[in-house]
């Protein structure tokens, strides 16, 4: 048995709180578009929240044959346990052979559940797709990004999560408008769910989102209780997002949703500062795609220097304030 793709690809797209399609979703659409071009099959989009107010033009001109929108009001973030049975039913009813979602926390929460319900193959973190002897090959990083696995699915249905940093953002350049269809959540699965929402502690910030920022300033354990005091001025003058190593998060000096790496977020900004970061493979797995990497570390042997484009050897508590002062002078701020 193998993936034949005679029916369709279904792509789950997400909107942010401002009802704009997320860049991660646009990367997932671009992945689907590439496969649909190779295999000459159609793709449709599935949106879990009500229709976005403004970017309808984007949503309906991405080349999808149909846009399916959930008409049931959902809490943000929703509970995957309540939604998965409906999504699995839709995939089955439409005979969709490929279900695609970005490898976001939502995507990673839903995709394996859908695969389990449908007894489908599951391929996570896909970062490249190719055709080998007429068969679709999904490429995904393994061993913290030190090797690439090339996966051929031995299943007629495949559920895939896509690394947003590895695909271009799909553009709304298709003149023909997609058909709009609404669906509702299966009441049965909503009632049967044994999971209940107790609350949600959202971290609010005025900075760009870590996975979407053009500049990321990441700090390691070395910053200790001066994490914010040292990094915030640098992030402010570069309009950067702030990231952290797992050691910094585990030590409680940075919130967990700052974590970059294998078990954190994957980022690929234009400019990445690694400040007091050793450069462990698990950290590098989440930022090696950055265009320019600047490392500041007191240890000349720190592994981060082997992947850095620019390295400053010295005490970060001395270097970072000087860097901030120099940037402010240059920018006149
Ligand atoms: C399964 C698994 C998954 C993991 N996932 C992740 C992940 O997603 N993300 C992640 O980051 N880690 C992850 N880790 C942890 C990872 O292995 C490292 O332990 C971690 O990245 C180290 O963080 P650090 O660089 O802040 O700390 P350290 O390793 O303690 O390094 C601190 C660095 O700061 C430098 N330094 C100290 N003082 C100064 C100073 N004054 N000025 C300048 N430099 C200074 C030191 O020279 C050193 O290089 C994972 C580990 C495992 C086993």
């Amino acid at each position: 048995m193998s993936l034949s793709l005679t029916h369709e690809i279904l792509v789950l797209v997400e909107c942010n709180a401002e009802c704009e399609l997320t860049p991660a979703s646009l990367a997932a659409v671009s992945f689907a578009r590439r496969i649909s071009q190779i295999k000459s099959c159609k793709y449709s989009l599935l949106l879990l929240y009500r229709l976005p107010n403004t970017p309808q033009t984007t949503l309906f001109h991405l080349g999808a044959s149909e846009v399916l929108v959930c008409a049931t009001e959902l809490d943000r973030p929703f509970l995957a346990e309540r939604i998965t049975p409906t999504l699995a039913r839709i995939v089955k009813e439409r005979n969709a052979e490929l279900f695609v979602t970005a490898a976001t926390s939502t995507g990673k929460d839903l995709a394996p559940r859908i695969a389990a319900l449908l007894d489908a193959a599951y391929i996570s973190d896909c970062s490249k797709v190719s055709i080998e002897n007429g068969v679709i090959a999904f490429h995904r990083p393994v061993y913290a990004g030190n090797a690439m696995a090339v996966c051929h699915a031995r299943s007629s249905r495949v559920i895939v999560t896509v690394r947003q940093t590895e695909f271009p953002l799909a553009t709304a350049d298709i003149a023909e408008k997609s058909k709009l269809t609404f669906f509702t959540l299966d009441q049965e699965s909503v009632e049967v769910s044994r999971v209940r929402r107790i609350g949600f502690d959202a971290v609010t910030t005025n900075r760009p989102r870590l996975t979407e920022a053009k500049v990321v300033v990441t700090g390691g354990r070395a910053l200790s209780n001066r994490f914010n005091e040292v990094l915030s001025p640098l992030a402010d003058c570069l309009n950067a997002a702030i990231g952290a190593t797992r050691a910094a998060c585990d030590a409680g000096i940075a919130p967990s949703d700052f974590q970059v790496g294998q078990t954190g977020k994957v980022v690929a900004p234009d400019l990445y500062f690694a400040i007091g970061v050793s450069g462990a493979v698990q950290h590098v797995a989440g930022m090696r795609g950055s265009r320019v990497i600047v490392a500041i570390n007191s240890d000349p042997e720190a592994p981060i220097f082997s992947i850095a484009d620019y390295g400053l050897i010295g005490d970060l508590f001395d270097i970072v304030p000087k860097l901030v002062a120099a940037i402010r002078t240059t920018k006149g701020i």
Side-chain angles (χ1 to χ4, degrees):
M1 226 191 298
S2 68
L3 182 62
S4 63
L5 275 179
T6 46
H7 288 98
E8 80 171 342
I9 303 170
L10 203 50
V11 189
L12 180 84
V13 290
E14 296 173 54
C15 283
N16 59 24
E18 294 83 41
C19 279
E20 294 158 350
L21 278 184
T22 59
S25 294
L26 292 172
V29 172
S30 134
F31 168 90
R33 206 186 255 188
R34 176 155 160 63
I35 296 180
S36 81
Q37 281 161 355
I38 299 170
K39 297 300 257 182
S40 304
C41 65
K42 58 179 184 169
Y43 59 96
S44 294
L45 310 182
L46 200 147
L47 180 70
L48 286 177
Y49 297 110
R50 67 180 180 280
L51 272 179
N53 303 327
T54 43
Q56 296 208 10
T57 40
T58 307
L59 191 62
F60 291 102
H61 292 279
L62 286 166
S65 51
E66 202 171 335
V67 174
L68 293 93
V69 177
C70 183
T72 311
E73 193 70 33
L74 293 168
D75 292 333
R76 270 174 188 270
F78 53 76
L79 296 171
E81 289 82 353
R82 296 177 61 186
I83 288 165
T84 317
T86 306
L87 296 185
R89 173 183 57 76
I90 294 172
V91 173
K92 207 170 169 183
E93 278 174 5
R94 297 176 69 88
N95 270 329
E97 293 101 336
L98 186 60
F99 179 88
V100 180
T101 159
T104 56
S105 35
T106 300
K108 288 193 271 192
D109 201 1
L110 290 169
R113 296 172 194 274
I114 297 171
L117 284 180
L118 295 173
D119 200 15
Y122 174 53
I123 298 172
S124 62
D125 269 333
C126 184
S127 59
K128 189 181 155 193
V129 65
S130 64
I131 298 288
E132 293 179 3
N133 301 326
V135 176
I136 301 179
F138 301 93
H139 301 237
R140 59 183 298 271
V142 289
Y143 301 114
N146 288 312
M148 291 298 282
V150 183
C151 311
H152 294 185
R154 283 203 204 136
S155 163
S156 56
R157 183 168 281 137
V158 182
I159 315 294
V160 181
T161 64
V162 170
R163 270 211 177 181
Q164 71 167 97
T165 51
E166 306 299 324
F167 294 92
L169 307 189
T171 45
D173 52 4
I174 309 291
E176 199 179 332
K177 203 175 169 193
S178 316
K179 178 181 156 199
L180 170 64
T181 311
F182 288 97
F183 69 93
T184 51
L185 285 196
D186 299 348
Q187 200 51 35
E188 200 183 334
S189 69
V190 173
E191 283 164 4
V192 162
S193 174
R194 285 173 291 178
V195 180
R196 184 165 59 88
R197 173 188 300 276
I198 293 174
F200 178 60
D201 273 340
V203 179
T204 50
T205 170
N206 293 328
R207 297 192 192 284
R209 290 181 183 85
L210 191 49
T211 50
E212 296 167 19
K214 292 201 176 337
V215 183
V216 172
V217 170
T218 288
R221 175 161 38 197
L223 282 139
S224 187
N225 58 358
R226 295 179 64 192
F227 188 90
N228 277 324
E229 175 200 325
V230 175
L231 297 191
S232 290
L234 182 60
D236 286 344
C237 56
L238 295 170
N239 189 28
I242 297 185
T245 62
R246 176 159 155 182
C249 297
D250 287 353
I253 59 175
S256 330
D257 69 335
F258 279 21
Q259 189 184 318
V260 172
Q262 186 186 338
T263 43
K265 290 184 174 130
V266 177
V267 301
D270 292 342
L271 180 58
Y272 187 89
F273 283 88
I275 300 174
V277 170
S278 59
V281 283
Q282 296 90 352
H283 182 78
V284 171
M287 47 66 76
R288 69 180 338 143
S290 307
R291 195 171 289 170
V292 175
I293 299 169
V294 179
I296 302 173
N297 199 303
S298 52
D299 175 7
E301 303 295 324
I304 193 73
F305 287 126
S306 65
I307 57 152
D309 298 282
Y310 298 94
L312 289 163
I313 300 167
D315 184 355
L316 70 90
F317 297 106
D318 178 38
I319 293 173
V320 177
K322 286 182 182 159
L323 190 61
V324 171
I327 295 170
R328 283 186 180 147
T329 308
T330 309
K331 286 188 154 191
I333 50 176

